[in-house]
């Protein structure tokens, strides 16, 4: 290239290795400074991916991922149909995701029909403000994870505290955290026996555990009317349980149930983004962390170019 001290063929070899090795290893292999290798790769990614073009998108999925220690997060937005990352930005607040909607423009915001997300108030408020006509779809994984934290684990702790005088029983309940939170199909046969014995011995834990499994069925419905009837039955059972954490969760979910029922019209989920998050962790580990957000986010976009559908 003009004014470059490195030939194009060497650049091409550097870029090939950057796809599979950390920058420092590539630099050591070619006897180059790691900053030179990073510059070569970053310039290539800029040329390849350039400015974000989210035009023509009607459905998006958004989720957060940890970017650094200390509860520092970034947001990734993708097309769930093409599996293409549209945009990545630091932060998870309203003002942090606003640049994406500015990129969409007024015409793109009007075309947006559905947004699948977790139950983040910041995401929801910004989507409603920017795209009032778009439907919000809550993801099964995040709702069930929230139930596990706020209901099952809270009841487990309360029951362990109640059984302070019965040390053997208290020890069993205290040590059953991951047994209760784990998806039942992922529990081994031996652990399933322990789980069943625990649920038979404790009525409250059995109640919240069974209602969690039943709540998952809500995402299997394709008819909104049938889904709403199922929800009303589930809500009635939760309120009648007289278990305070469960009642509180049910009331909070009732206020946002339209986002759950929207799954009937838009059978989407953020499972795609959870898979992306795992790959992002690999990219981050390969680089031993990133100090350059632009470079990191370009690498993420390059890792998920989409399938062209």
């Amino acid at each position: 290239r003009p004014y470059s001290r490195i030939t194009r063929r060497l650049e091409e070899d550097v870029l090939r290795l950057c796809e599979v090795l950390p920058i420092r290893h590539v630099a050591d292999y070619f006897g180059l400074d790691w900053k030179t290798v990073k510059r070569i790769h970053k310039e290539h990614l800029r040329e390849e991916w350039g400015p974000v073009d989210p035009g023509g998108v009607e459905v998006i999925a958004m989720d957060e991922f940890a970017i650094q220690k200390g509860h520092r997060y970034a947001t990734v937005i993708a097309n769930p149909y093409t599996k293409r990352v549209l945009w990545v930005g630091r932060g998870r607040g309203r003002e942090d995701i606003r640049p994406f909607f500015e990129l969409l423009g007024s015409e793109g915001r009007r075309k947006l029909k559905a947004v699948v997300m977790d139950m983040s108030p910041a995401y929801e408020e910004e989507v409603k403000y920017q795209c009032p006509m778009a439907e919000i779809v809550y993801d099964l994984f995040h709702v069930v994870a929230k139930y596990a934290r706020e209901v099952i684990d809270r009841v487990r702790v309360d029951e362990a505290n109640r059984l302070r005088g019965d040390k053997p029983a208290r020890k069993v309940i205290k040590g059953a955290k991951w047994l209760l939170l784990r998806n039942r199909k992922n529990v081994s046969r031996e652990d399933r026996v322990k789980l069943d014995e625990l649920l038979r011995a404790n009525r409250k834990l059995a109640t919240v555990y069974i209602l969690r499994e039943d709540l998952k069925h809500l995402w299997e419905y394709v008819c909104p009317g049938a889904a709403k009837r199922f929800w009303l039955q589930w809500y009635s059972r939760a309120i009648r349980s007289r278990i305070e954490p469960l009642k509180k969760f049910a009331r909070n979910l009732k206020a946002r149930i339209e986002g759950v029922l929207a799954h009937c019209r838009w059978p989407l989920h953020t499972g795609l983004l959870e898979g992306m998050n795992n790959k992002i962790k690999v990219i981050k580990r390969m680089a031993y962390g990133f100090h350059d957000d632009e470079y990191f986010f370009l690498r993420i976009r390059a890792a998920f170019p989409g399938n062209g559908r």
Side-chain angles (χ1 to χ4, degrees), residues 5-281:
R5 296 183 179 185
I6 296 174
T7 64
R8 289 185 180 274
R9 287 187 64 181
L10 179 54
E11 281 190 7
E12 290 169 2
D13 285 345
V14 167
L15 292 173
R16 284 194 199 97
L17 284 189
C18 281
E19 296 301 316
V20 294
L21 291 175
I23 288 175
R24 190 168 293 282
H25 293 182
V26 178
D28 290 343
Y29 181 80
F30 287 108
L32 298 171
D33 186 83
W34 73 269
K35 292 178 183 176
T36 302
V37 174
K38 176 193 166 184
R39 177 181 55 77
I40 292 170
H41 195 211
K42 186 175 179 179
E43 286 177 0
H44 167 74
L45 292 174
R46 276 179 180 159
E47 291 173 5
E48 189 77 14
W49 297 101
V52 179
D53 179 21
V57 176
E58 295 184 342
V59 180
I60 60 172
M62 59 171 62
D63 197 12
E64 64 189 35
F65 65 91
I67 193 170
Q68 288 169 326
K69 291 181 179 179
H71 296 288
R72 296 179 183 177
Y73 295 90
T75 297
V76 58
I77 298 178
N79 184 327
Y81 295 133
T82 64
K83 299 178 182 176
R84 176 169 70 101
V85 169
L86 302 171
W87 182 86
V88 188
R90 182 178 277 266
R92 53 178 178 175
R94 287 189 62 176
E95 65 284 354
D96 298 316
I97 63 172
R98 195 165 297 155
F100 170 76
F101 294 102
E102 292 171 354
L103 280 171
L104 277 179
S106 57
E107 185 65 26
R109 292 196 292 270
R110 281 196 296 272
K111 287 182 179 178
L112 203 61
K113 295 179 179 177
V115 182
V116 58
M117 63 174 74
D118 60 15
M119 298 179 76
S120 164
Y123 288 170
E124 184 175 348
E125 288 169 11
E126 189 64 16
V127 169
K128 285 180 177 178
Y129 176 76
Q130 299 283 354
C131 313
M133 300 304 292
E135 281 199 82
I136 290 171
V137 185
Y138 291 137
D139 174 57
L140 163 66
F141 172 83
H142 288 92
V143 176
V144 172
K146 187 177 177 68
Y147 181 97
R149 289 193 308 271
E150 297 181 3
V151 181
I152 293 182
D153 204 38
R154 182 68 259 168
V155 171
R156 180 189 65 84
V157 172
D158 290 345
E159 287 299 285
N161 291 337
R162 184 178 65 83
L163 294 170
R164 279 198 183 94
D166 188 347
K167 289 188 177 180
R170 185 170 187 263
K171 184 178 179 181
V172 169
I173 291 177
K174 282 193 70 176
K177 177 176 180 176
W178 300 114
L179 194 59
L180 290 164
L181 298 185
R182 199 179 302 150
N183 194 321
R184 187 174 178 84
K185 66 180 180 182
N186 297 328
V187 177
S188 67
R189 184 176 298 178
E190 182 182 347
D191 285 341
R192 196 170 294 179
V193 172
K194 296 178 183 177
L195 176 62
D196 291 340
E197 289 176 352
L198 174 64
L199 297 179
R200 279 196 296 269
N202 192 292
R203 185 188 64 81
K204 285 188 176 181
L205 285 175
T207 300
V208 297
Y209 188 89
I210 290 168
L211 282 176
R212 182 190 66 174
E213 297 305 305
D214 288 350
L215 182 62
K216 294 177 184 178
H217 294 309
L218 193 53
W219 278 263
E220 297 173 2
Y221 285 88
V222 294
C223 174
K228 191 160 189 176
R229 286 193 294 273
F230 179 86
W231 156 252
L232 291 173
Q233 293 172 3
W234 188 93
Y235 179 77
S236 176
R237 291 163 63 197
I239 296 300
R240 292 200 312 267
S241 70
R242 293 186 292 182
I243 301 173
E244 287 306 318
L246 176 56
K247 290 165 65 178
K248 181 180 177 181
F249 177 88
R251 291 191 181 104
N252 289 340
L253 188 59
K254 182 182 179 182
R256 307 168 80 179
I257 193 60
E258 291 305 318
V260 176
L261 300 180
H263 187 270
C264 297
R265 293 178 291 276
W266 301 97
L268 303 165
H269 55 81
T270 59
L272 161 70
L273 295 182
E274 294 300 320
M276 286 182 175
N277 286 350
N278 290 333
K279 192 166 183 179
I280 288 169
K281 289 176 186 175

